[in-house]
Each structure stands twice: as C-alpha cells, then as structure tokens.
Amino acid sequence: MISECLYLPDLLGGVTLEATARGLRAIRFGEAPAVAAPGLLVYAAERQLREYLAGERFVFDIPLDLAGTSFQMEVWKALTQISYGGTSSYRDIAVAVNRPRGFQAIGQANTRNPIPVIVPCHRVINADGSMGGYGGGLGRKRQLLELEKRYAQRFRETAA
C-alpha cells in the first residue's frame, strides 16, 4: 500500500514518486492521483533525482520496494548493473539473465519497470545501437542518455 506520494512538475516533464513503508515503489511520468501525503522517503528520492539530473549523483541508494514477477525482478536487477553513462542491448540483458533468446521478454520487463531512472531501463538500446522504446517516451530516454554522456567523465573520476 502506498504510504507516501509526491508530484514534481519540474523534473523530466513531471514525475510522481510513490513509496511504501519499505521503499520507493514507483516513479511515474506525469501526475498521478495523490494517494498519500509526502514523507521522508519520497523527499529523499526527490533529492537524489535532483542530484542525478545535476550531474552530482551517479548511484542511487534509497530503499526500493519493487513488485514484479521473478523474471521481471531478475531483469531489473540486471539493469542496475549497467554502468552510469553506459548502455546494453536487449540481447546483452537476455544473456545476463540466462535467457539468450528472450529479447522480447526483456523489452516487456523494461516496459513494466516501475522505477525508471533509478532502475535504469533507459540504458537499454537495440543491438544495432538505435534507441528502441521507452515507457517515458523517446525524448526522455534521449535526454537521460545525453545527460549521462555529459557527466560520464565526472563519474569516471569519482569512481577511480
């Protein structure tokens, strides 16, 4: 059950953050109906998202409360292994989760990712290097990839 909710109209064209007592449950593009008052967890998620968008944060460390099938959870975990500023293909993720022919299933799991940006499904591209789809729209995907490309050197310096 959602215990906290916060709409941020100025981030990525508008996002709504939703959390349970266990962690961040969803980042929805656009405004979602407020089902609960904001609290400490969604404010922490807001701070980390703002730091990420300013090129000051490369890894998120807020608790997550992901809900999905075991396959989706496996795919979402693999997505978190894609390095900041990097990309992987649907095929790469399929191999990583030991389903080398399952690119379509990987695409479906990406589409159902409830916490985009933090679980970085925007870093998944087609094998030929083209964008592929994105639940938040290709404009947002392009924006996120360009942002990470712009700050990738800063990330490498801080990771060294």
Side-chain angles (χ1 to χ4, degrees):
M1 176 172 195
I2 301 301
S3 59
E4 300 180 32
C5 188
L6 178 64
Y7 176 59
L8 304 164
D10 62 319
L11 290 185
L12 298 168
V15 296
T16 299
L17 308 177
E18 295 177 355
T20 66
R22 291 191 309 249
L24 189 65
R25 171 59 67 96
I27 295 176
R28 302 186 192 286
F29 293 113
E31 187 169 6
V35 294
L40 293 177
L41 190 62
V42 293
Y43 285 128
E46 174 191 16
R47 180 181 48 77
Q48 290 191 19
L49 279 170
R50 289 188 187 283
E51 291 168 354
Y52 165 82
L53 293 168
E56 299 165 356
R57 174 174 291 276
F58 310 108
V59 176
F60 294 92
D61 60 8
I62 56 174
L64 304 180
D65 184 16
L66 287 166
T69 67
S70 59
F71 174 72
Q72 289 169 337
M73 300 292 271
E74 195 175 349
V75 170
W76 299 336
K77 183 178 180 182
L79 298 179
T80 65
Q81 302 306 305
I82 305 170
S83 183
Y84 181 95
T87 57
S88 289
S89 70
Y90 294 96
R91 181 174 301 155
D92 295 335
I93 301 301
V95 168
V97 299
N98 210 19
R99 290 185 177 79
R101 296 177 189 245
F103 346 118
Q104 276 190 309
I106 300 302
Q108 290 301 314
N110 272 6
T111 300
R112 290 181 174 86
N113 173 13
I115 307 178
V117 183
I118 292 175
V119 176
C121 54
H122 63 279
R123 296 179 187 156
V124 181
I125 60 173
N126 292 326
D128 66 3
S130 62
M131 283 285 179
Y134 187 62
L138 288 180
R140 278 192 185 102
K141 182 172 186 166
R142 202 171 287 110
Q143 177 186 6
L144 292 168
L145 290 173
E146 288 171 1
L147 172 110
E148 291 186 5
K149 184 178 178 183
R150 184 170 52 247
Y151 294 115
Q153 182 60 37
R154 184 183 297 173
F155 166 68
R156 285 188 288 276
E157 290 168 359
T158 61

